[in-house]
Amino acid sequence: MSGMAPDHSNSSQEEYIPHYLQKEDPFASKLSREADIIAGFYLTIIGILSTLGNGYVIFMSSKRKKKLRPAEIMTVNLAVCDLGISVVGKPFSIISFFSHRWMFGWIGCRWYGWAGFFFGCGSLITMTAVSLDRYLKICHLSYGTWLKRHHAFICLAMIWAYASFWATVPFAGVGSYAPEPFGTSCTLDWWLAQASVAGQAFVLSILFFCLLFPTAVIVFSYVKIILKVKSSTKEVAHYDTRIQSSHILEMKLTKVAMLICAGFLLAWIPYAVVSVWSAFGRPDSVPIQFSVVPTLLAKSAAMYNPIIYQVIDCRFACCRPGGLKAKSSLKKSR
């Protein structure tokens, strides 16, 4: 099994040997059987809720696909990414947790790592595009009115190409996917940064282009939106009813986008911190029992978005004149 592991130079191995190249089985669980069973049940519940929720969002959107706004098209793409994580990735980890070891060897490990990174990167870049769309729509009306449906589809093609490129780069020999220290899941090989300068360059590139830069764009966009809304609230009150209604809808979409981004980042930031520490901190300084918690938290990110959609929809409908009647008509229009 170790013969199929990613190759490292002899000098690198003399300096640092990652956990998956040591003598013990890299795919054997380092957790207790009870902990694995609890994690397996947790992921099963997360997977079912995520699949049903995101599947429902995609199904309902498909019924009105010709009426979807650009921001809503992006939201559907986000649901597709979340559904992909649930359908393609979670069954592998659920089976492995219940089996008390990773059951799919190095090929399955690399596939699982690729799929998780591909859909996760796709989710974050989609949210980055949504934040820019909201920024242009709220802060620069001339650009916002220029954005049309076909621009959204062009943006989707760019998102999938971007995620495909960065998820596939490790297969070009500049990186790899490897088992997590606890053995029953796989991820990017963050430990390459401990072995060589090339590994450090790979990890830093991934962190910048697939986490730090998109997150900076999201934060910038929503800070500017908040400042703009505070300065323009009084102005909107003097507009006619049609403009007020359009403004309310745009703000509703913005609230959805902000909550989605916040939920995603809160779920993934602990995992990112642990990964960075594994890459650049003292070797093997992250306790195995501690490393599994951020991983499980990150896997729950795909479940939050359908809940956010429903909560915002209910609040939006109930705050309109007519209350429940308005809610009923809103559902029909969707």
Side-chain angles (χ1 to χ4, degrees), residues 136-173:
L136 294 175
K137 201 74 172 178
I138 302 297
C139 300
H140 300 280
L141 295 178
S142 59
Y143 292 99
T145 55
W146 174 78
L147 292 171
K148 304 298 181 183
R149 282 170 55 92
H150 65 277
H151 295 118
F153 289 114
I154 293 173
C155 187
L156 290 185
M158 296 173 63
I159 290 170
W160 287 109
Y162 191 91
S164 298
F165 172 78
W166 285 108
T168 309
V169 159
F171 294 127

Side-chain angles (χ1 to χ4, degrees), residues 174-193:
V174 296
S176 185
Y177 295 100
E180 298 268 16
F182 52 87
T184 47
S185 181
C186 294
T187 184
L188 277 168
D189 192 348
W190 303 104
W191 303 272
L192 284 175

Side-chain angles (χ1 to χ4, degrees), residues 53-54 57 75-76 78-79 82 252 256 260 304-314 334:
N54 289 291
V57 170
T75 302
V76 173
L78 186 59
D82 290 341
K252 176 249 182 180
V256 170
I260 287 172
Y304 303 145
N305 296 341
I307 298 174
I308 293 172
Y309 305 148
Q310 293 302 314
V311 171
I312 294 294
D313 281 350
C314 289
R334 287 179 181 169

